[in-house]
Amino acid sequence: MMRRFLAPLFAAILSVSVLQSATVRAAPLLDIMVLVDGSGSVSNPDYETQRAAVQNLFDSFTIGAADAKFGLVQFSTGATLLSGLSDNAAALQNTLATMTQPFGQTNHGDAFQLANTELSTNGRAGARQAVIILTDGVANEPVGPGINPLSHAIGAADDLKANGIEIFGVGIGGAIAIGDIEDYASPPTEDYAFHVSDHDSLQSALDVIIADLQATDAELSETQVSAPAPLALFGLGLGVLALYRRRIAAA
């Protein structure tokens, strides 16, 4: 009799697993490339302020394989990929701490192209992808026959946006105007293009960008996880126990 009783009880417990427990929210996936200005117009104190602001950007997110990944590009006369998309916070911090300023001119277009290649090659399916460019000057590289540096940069930015990658732009100081940043930024430009008076004010613009990217978590749809609901199991147990007692009494 005990075997006959246990078999239906076990089957009932398995079937109740279709009842769902409390909902959980999936982790946000963010793939973000940060483009930092290493040109000669950035003074040493301002370069260090920029470095600290980028470190604060990293610290504002959970960096991990199932969370945010960051990459880092530095531009001057050319552009260099300092770090591809990484989920290693310590490695990113080390790369940022040890980067050196190359000085030179300002090449936004090549920086955008490096970011586009990295996101297209190593970006994750389903991740929100973004580029953040920090600069205190208008593009003046590369130069050559038939090459307009600003047109080159705008074209590279347009390629990013055509791939579904958002561009946040922060112009710093009087040598660059908000209109120059708007040429690159995603629409609506009031949400993606920023201008601050100096490097000491850079963090105020990044705080707005950080809040926007962090909102990804709140916008994710809730997903259910399959797990036995404790109250349902308790009620099932009481019902089966009453049935068992009735069978014993009738025996």
Side-chain angles (χ1 to χ4, degrees), residues 2-13 236 240 243 247:
M2 183 59 68
R3 177 181 295 179
R4 293 171 60 190
F5 163 71
L6 289 177
L9 176 60
F10 182 72
I13 290 175
L236 177 65
V240 173
L243 177 61
R247 289 183 176 179

Side-chain angles (χ1 to χ4, degrees), residues 24-166:
V24 296
R25 191 175 295 279
L29 289 178
L30 297 170
D31 290 342
I32 305 168
M33 296 297 297
V34 184
L35 316 184
V36 298
D37 194 335
S39 64
S41 59
V42 181
S43 70
N44 184 67
D46 287 344
Y47 188 75
E48 294 306 317
T49 299
Q50 181 180 230
R51 191 198 309 267
V54 175
Q55 182 60 58
N56 185 67
L57 172 68
F58 292 165
D59 292 341
S60 298
F61 294 87
T62 300
I63 297 176
D67 296 285
K69 288 187 177 184
F70 283 91
L72 190 64
V73 171
Q74 181 168 232
F75 60 88
S76 56
T77 303
T80 303
L81 179 67
L82 299 179
S83 172
L85 287 170
S86 174
D87 57 19
N88 187 323
L92 285 165
Q93 180 178 2
N94 182 67
T95 298
L96 184 64
T98 58
M99 74 177 185
T100 57
Q101 186 176 4
F103 300 99
Q105 301 302 312
T106 304
N107 189 334
H108 296 155
D110 286 2
F112 284 136
Q113 288 179 339
L114 282 178
N116 200 0
T117 298
E118 178 62 18
L119 287 165
S120 299
T121 303
N122 297 314
R124 293 168 292 178
R128 181 182 179 185
Q129 297 185 329
V131 167
I132 303 172
I133 183 169
L134 313 176
T135 186
D136 74 343
V138 179
N140 55 21
E141 285 284 348
V143 294
I147 299 176
N148 178 285
L150 183 57
S151 297
H152 170 64
I154 293 172
D158 288 344
D159 289 341
L160 279 163
K161 290 178 282 190
N163 287 338
I165 299 166
E166 301 169 67

Side-chain angles (χ1 to χ4, degrees), residues 145-244:
I147 299 176
N148 178 285
L150 183 57
S151 297
H152 170 64
I154 293 172
D158 288 344
D159 289 341
L160 279 163
K161 290 178 282 190
N163 287 338
I165 299 166
E166 301 169 67
I167 300 179
F168 293 90
V170 182
I172 307 164
I176 186 169
I178 185 66
D180 299 316
I181 294 300
E182 289 175 341
D183 287 337
Y184 303 148
S186 297
T189 54
E190 60 266 24
D191 293 336
Y192 289 89
F194 302 84
H195 185 268
V196 295
S197 59
D198 51 36
H199 281 80
D200 290 335
S201 303
L202 172 59
Q203 190 60 56
S204 62
L206 282 179
D207 286 342
V208 178
I209 295 171
I210 289 168
D212 186 303
L213 292 170
Q214 287 176 335
T216 300
D217 190 23
E219 294 168 358
L220 288 172
S221 60
E222 292 184 341
T223 58
Q224 303 284 342
V225 294
S226 294
L231 288 178
L233 283 175
F234 180 73
L236 177 65
L238 289 179
V240 173
L241 181 59
L243 177 61
Y244 177 66

